[in-house]
């Protein structure tokens, strides 16, 4: 009987050991399968391609360009402000005392006005029409004399351009008042006209207000030419003589505007740091072709040295995910691949690519996020002829 029990115990132990071995083998096989599957998925993610039909790409505004090494301008990123250029602003004032009556209602800031457009009339307030004309004529003659004198002084560089601009604005205002006082309809009040085309910057008087002789009623600014005054940080003072242009962007707009050629050369670069700041003013002048408004604050990239043989892509080609940057390369008519890149310098228009692209790739330069949204259509292991 004892021998029988020993035999049964031995058989039970063998069965248990075999079960454990089988279970371990099964677990090992399961782990191997999971590892293989993970490895396969990892390969699929690495080699997966994004499918976007040409029709959908066109609808999404996707544009592709071949990226080759070329010339790239480094830049200093800073801020600036737009202002009227030269004699691009003036004061609308009356040389006659009286009651203000706006023509067509009180103007508002931003309202466009034409040169010599009658903005208001000033009732003489008991003064005879002849007295008003006489006063306007006297003021005009005095302003003209001062203007002629200032012009000669400017040529001899005795006065600054800023001083001359102020004298010229007074002259134009006086001329406008005199012409308005002698024009038809002056009996209804002395006309006050805008000395230049532009838009109203500020309205200083209300309908029915009493206006003293020479008192300003509004300011007007021309926007045909503008100045961009950028703040170059003091630590980049050594680059102030190498500035070759500027790219800038309005704070409320994604479009970047570029100043190049004759407009890209600064008209002045400060030789000292502006009092109370750590910046050196850099000034550009340019034709206002985009309806920009003086007084607007802008983000600025001051272009400095240029280098050849640099691979760069437009800002619109980059996408960012958790601090890493990517571009999308077109492989064929409907397949794209997400490529990680390392970025270098930026100039507001283009971004230097330090690694990730070798040159010659067809890169999505517009609509990159639309391609990104199509990444759900990844086809692992998709094969085609490149």
């Amino acid at each position: 009987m004892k021998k029988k029990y020993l035999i049964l115990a031995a058989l039970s132990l063998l069965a248990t050991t075999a079960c454990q071995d089988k279970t371990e083998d099964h677990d090992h096989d399961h782990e191997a399968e999971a590892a293989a599957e993970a490895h396969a998925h990892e390969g699929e993610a690495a080699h997966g391609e994004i499918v976007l039909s040409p029709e959908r790409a066109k609808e999404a505004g996707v544009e592709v360009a071949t990226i080759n090494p070329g010339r790239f301008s480094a830049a200093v990123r800073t801020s600036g402000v737009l202002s009227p250029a030269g004699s691009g602003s003036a004061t609308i004032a009356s040389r006659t005392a009286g009651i203000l009556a706006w023509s067509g209602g009180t103007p508002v800031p931003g309202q466009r006005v034409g040169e010599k457009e009658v903005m208001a009339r000033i009732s003489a307030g008991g003064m005879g029409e002849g007295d008003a004309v006489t006063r306007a004529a006297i003021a005009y003659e005095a302003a003209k004399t001062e203007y002629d004198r200032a012009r000669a002084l400017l040529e001899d560089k005795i006065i600054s351009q800023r001083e001359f601009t102020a004298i010229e604005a007074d002259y134009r205002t006086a001329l406008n008042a005199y012409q308005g006082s002698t024009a038809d309809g002056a009996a209804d009040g002395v006309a006050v006209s805008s000395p230049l085309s532009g838009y109203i910057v500020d309205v200083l008087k209300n309908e029915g207000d009493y206006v003293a002789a020479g008192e300003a009623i509004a300011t007007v600014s021309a926007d045909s030419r503008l100045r961009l005054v950028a703040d170059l940080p003091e630590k980049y003072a050594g680059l102030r003589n190498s500035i070759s242009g500027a790219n800038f962007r309005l704070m409320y707009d994604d479009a970047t505007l570029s100043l190049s050629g004759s407009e890209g050369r600064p008209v002045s670069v400060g030789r000292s740091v502006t009092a109370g700041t750590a910046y050196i003013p850099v000034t550009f002048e340019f034709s206002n072709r985009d309806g920009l408004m003086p007084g607007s604050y802008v983000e600025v990239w001051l272009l400095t040295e240029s280098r050849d043989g640099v691979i760069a892509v437009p800002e619109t080609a980059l996408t960012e995910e958790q601090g890493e940057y990517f571009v999308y390369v077109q492989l064929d008519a409907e397949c794209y691949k997400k490529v990680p890149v390392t970025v270098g310098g930026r100039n507001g228009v283009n971004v230097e690519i330090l690694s990730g692209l070798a040159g010659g790739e067809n890169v999505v330069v517009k609509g990159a996020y639309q391609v990104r949204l199509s990444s759900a259509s990844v086809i692992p292991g998709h094969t085609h002829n490149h």
Side-chain angles (χ1 to χ4, degrees), residues 327-357:
V327 297
Y328 291 90
V329 175
Q330 186 182 46
L331 303 177
D332 58 27
E334 62 178 14
C335 290
Y336 302 80
K337 186 174 182 179
K338 179 181 176 181
V339 177
V341 294
T342 304
V343 302
R346 297 175 181 245
N347 60 26
V349 175
N350 296 316
V351 182
E352 179 183 11
I353 301 299
L354 300 178
S355 66
L357 296 177

Side-chain angles (χ1 to χ4, degrees), residues 16-364:
T16 302
T17 303
C19 183
Q20 288 176 347
D21 291 341
K22 189 172 183 180
T23 301
E24 289 174 0
D25 290 341
H26 176 74
D27 290 342
H28 178 73
D29 291 342
H30 181 72
E31 290 174 2
E33 290 175 3
E37 184 178 358
H39 180 72
H41 283 307
E42 182 180 355
E44 290 171 5
H47 301 289
E49 296 167 5
I50 301 168
V51 175
L52 183 64
S53 69
E55 293 77 16
R56 285 186 58 197
K58 183 176 180 181
E59 291 175 359
V62 174
E63 295 183 17
V64 175
T66 303
I67 302 300
N68 289 308
R71 197 167 185 82
F72 177 79
S73 293
V76 176
R77 185 179 180 181
T78 183
S79 60
V81 65
L82 302 179
S83 61
S87 57
S89 60
T91 298
I92 302 177
S94 174
R95 295 294 180 177
T96 301
I99 304 302
L100 170 67
W102 289 107
S103 301
T106 304
V108 295
Q111 177 178 323
R112 293 202 63 85
V113 297
E115 185 177 3
K116 298 182 179 179
E117 178 181 345
V118 175
M119 301 299 302
R121 291 187 178 275
I122 306 297
S123 300
M127 183 186 302
E129 179 183 345
D131 293 338
V133 174
T134 300
R135 288 197 177 207
I138 293 172
Y140 162 66
E141 291 296 335
K144 185 177 185 304
T145 299
E146 181 65 14
Y147 171 70
D148 292 338
R149 172 179 167 276
R151 189 163 52 181
L153 294 176
L154 180 66
E155 292 176 358
D156 295 334
K157 298 184 179 180
I158 297 176
I159 65 173
S160 67
Q161 178 66 47
R162 178 177 294 182
E163 292 173 313
F164 175 75
T165 298
I167 294 171
E168 183 183 29
D170 290 341
Y171 163 69
R172 289 187 177 186
T173 301
L175 174 61
N176 178 69
Y178 175 63
Q179 291 175 336
S181 68
T182 58
D184 292 339
D188 297 330
V190 177
V192 181
S193 303
S194 173
L196 46 80
S197 296
Y199 66 94
I200 297 294
V201 176
D202 198 8
V203 179
L204 307 174
K205 290 293 181 179
N206 296 318
E207 179 80 15
D209 283 352
Y210 176 82
V211 179
E215 189 172 7
I217 63 173
T219 55
V220 62
S221 176
D223 56 4
S224 58
R225 285 192 65 78
L226 295 177
R227 281 180 179 167
L228 166 62
V229 182
D231 297 321
L232 177 67
E234 183 181 1
K235 65 179 180 179
Y236 297 112
L239 299 175
R240 65 182 185 274
N241 293 325
S242 63
I243 296 174
S244 60
N247 298 326
F248 66 94
R249 184 184 302 162
L250 295 169
M251 297 299 186
Y252 53 82
D253 197 349
D254 292 333
T256 301
L257 305 175
S258 299
L259 300 181
S260 57
S262 60
E263 293 183 337
R265 292 191 292 271
V267 295
S268 69
V269 178
R271 295 300 169 183
S272 61
V273 176
T274 303
T277 74
Y279 299 103
I280 300 168
V282 181
T283 305
F284 302 84
E285 281 194 12
F286 61 98
S287 297
N288 185 8
R289 301 176 296 271
D290 303 283
L292 303 173
M293 294 182 61
S296 298
Y297 288 91
V298 293
E299 186 176 13
V300 183
W301 290 264
L302 295 172
L303 305 181
T304 56
E305 62 178 12
S306 295
R307 291 177 284 121
D308 287 319
V310 176
I311 295 178
V313 299
E315 287 269 5
T316 52
L318 279 184
T319 61
E320 182 181 1
E321 297 178 26
Q322 298 180 345
E324 296 184 354
Y325 294 95
F326 302 87
V327 297
Y328 291 90
V329 175
Q330 186 182 46
L331 303 177
D332 58 27
E334 62 178 14
C335 290
Y336 302 80
K337 186 174 182 179
K338 179 181 176 181
V339 177
V341 294
T342 304
V343 302
R346 297 175 181 245
N347 60 26
V349 175
N350 296 316
V351 182
E352 179 183 11
I353 301 299
L354 300 178
S355 66
L357 296 177
E361 294 93 342
N362 294 322
V363 175
V364 176

